[in-house]
Amino acid sequence: MYKLLELPHQQDIVALRRALWAHRIGHQVTEEEAVQVLWLADPRQRDEAAYLIEQWHRGELAERPAQAAKRRSPSMLGSAFTQAPLAAACVALCVVVFALMALFGDRVIAALTFVPVDSVSGRLTVGTLGDSLASGQIWRLVSPALMHFGWMHLVFNMLWLWYFGRQVEALQGPVRLIMLAVVAALVSNLAQYATGTVLFGGMSGVDYALLGYVWLMARRAPESGFFVPQMLVVFMLAWMVFTMTDMASLFGFGNVANEAHLGGLLVGLVSGWWAGGRAARGER
C-alpha cells in the first residue's frame, strides 16, 4: 500500500472517495492518532489519484448545495450502483426473490430448488440432479443461492455479499466477481445436495468464497488493495465451526447449510491463492 494523503479526522472526504471508486482506483482509509490516512492500492495509479485530489482541493468534485439537496434521498442507492453495479444488482435480485417468495410461496421455491419438486395427489415428489440436467433446467445448479428463508438470513448474507463483493468488483472488475459467485454457488450447492438435502438456499456459500478470496488476496498481495479485518475472518470461521457442532441446535441454529459454507470457502481459498500469487508476481 502507498501512503497518498494525510488529513485531519474531521475532514469530509466522501466526495474524494466517491471519485476514486468511480475511476476504479483501489484505496483504503485508516485512522491514526491525529489524522486519517488515505492509502493507494496500486502505486501506478498515483498520478491519476493526485489529479483527483487536486480537483477535490479546488472544490470541483463537490456538488452544489442545491444539487446535493435534490439528490440526498436516492444518493445511497445510486452510489451503490455506481461503485459496484454487479454486487448491488446481486443484492437487489436476492431481495426481489425474497419478496416473491413471500407473495407466491411454494411456486417460487419450486422453481428455484436444486432439483425439481412437485406435488402429485397430495404427495411431494422430488426429482434428481439428472432430471434437472436432462430437462435443461440448468439454472437450478445455482438458483438456490438466491433463496432466503427469513429476514435475518437475508440481511446477514447481503451484508457480507456487499462488503466482499464490492471489493472484488471495484478492484478486479465484474467478470471476476461473477465467475467467483457462479462457481461458488455451484460447488456449495453440490456439496449440500450430496448430503441428501433437497430444500436449501442462501448466499452464504458465495459469501464464504468471497471471504476466502479477499483474505488471501490481502495476505498474498498486500498492494492489491484488498482488506478484511482479521477479527472478521476469525468470527466468520468460528461461526462456521460453531454451526457444525451439536451446541448450535441448542441456540436455534441447527438447520444450517454447513457443507455449502465449507464448499464455498474452499472455492474462495483456492481462487485467492491462485490470484494472489499472480498479483504478487505482477501478473493480471
Side-chain angles (χ1 to χ4, degrees):
M1 299 288 280
Y2 175 81
K3 181 183 285 191
L4 193 61
L5 192 63
E6 290 186 356
L7 294 162
H9 280 300
Q10 66 273 17
Q11 185 103 27
D12 184 0
I13 60 172
V14 172
L16 174 58
R17 297 199 66 186
R18 184 182 297 119
L20 290 171
W21 282 122
H23 286 76
R24 295 195 177 279
I25 298 177
H27 63 280
Q28 177 186 338
V29 176
T30 59
E31 301 285 339
E32 299 191 1
E33 290 184 3
V35 295
Q36 52 182 333
V37 181
L38 179 64
W39 300 85
L40 183 65
D42 187 350
R44 291 173 296 183
Q45 294 180 302
R46 181 172 51 186
D47 292 341
E48 187 178 2
Y51 176 70
L52 291 175
I53 291 172
E54 183 180 350
Q55 285 186 305
W56 176 66
H57 279 307
R58 294 200 302 262
E60 296 176 6
L61 298 182
E63 289 185 311
R64 296 174 182 175
Q67 292 175 321
K70 183 178 180 180
R71 300 178 186 178
R72 186 167 292 124
S73 56
S75 62
M76 183 177 296
L77 182 60
S79 177
F81 276 94
T82 299
Q83 290 181 17
L86 179 60
C90 289
V91 172
L93 180 58
C94 288
V95 172
V96 169
V97 170
F98 185 76
L100 291 175
M101 288 171 61
L103 290 173
F104 302 106
D106 293 346
R107 283 179 289 177
V108 176
I109 295 174
L112 299 177
T113 50
F114 191 71
V115 295
V117 296
D118 198 5
S119 179
V120 179
S121 301
R123 299 184 61 181
L124 184 67
T125 62
V126 178
T128 64
L129 177 58
D131 294 332
S132 296
L133 298 176
S135 60
Q137 300 179 49
I138 306 300
W139 73 86
R140 292 187 183 275
L141 299 179
V142 297
S143 59
L146 303 176
M147 293 193 295
H148 295 83
F149 301 103
W151 277 106
M152 294 297 289
H153 190 206
L154 176 70
V155 168
F156 277 101
N157 277 355
M158 295 305 98
L159 174 66
W160 304 130
L161 175 61
W162 175 247
Y163 181 83
F164 296 118
R166 178 180 58 175
Q167 288 194 53
V168 175
E169 184 174 2
L171 295 173
Q172 295 187 324
V175 174
R176 180 63 55 87
L177 175 59
I178 196 64
M179 288 177 61
L180 272 172
V182 170
V183 173
L186 174 61
V187 172
S188 60
N189 288 340
L190 284 170
Q192 195 62 36
Y193 178 69
T195 67
T197 308
V198 174
L199 182 58
F200 56 86
M203 194 64 73
S204 51
V206 175
D207 289 342
Y208 271 99
L210 293 173
L211 165 70
Y213 184 84
V214 171
W215 179 51
L216 280 186
M217 283 295 300
R219 289 185 64 85
R220 301 203 73 201
E223 73 285 352
S224 65
F226 286 96
F227 173 76
V228 55
Q230 289 302 310
M231 284 306 300
L232 178 57
V233 177
V234 172
F235 168 77
M236 292 190 70
L237 294 180
W239 176 258
M240 184 178 69
V241 173
F242 170 73
T243 56
M244 292 179 178
T245 66
D246 294 335
M247 187 178 296
S249 60
L250 299 177
F251 293 91
F253 298 108
N255 190 21
V256 178
N258 296 311
E259 290 76 11
H261 294 173
L262 183 58
L265 180 62
L266 290 176
V267 168
L269 292 176
V270 170
S271 302
W273 184 268
W274 172 79
R278 286 177 60 87
R281 295 190 298 269
E283 302 175 14
R284 291 286 181 177

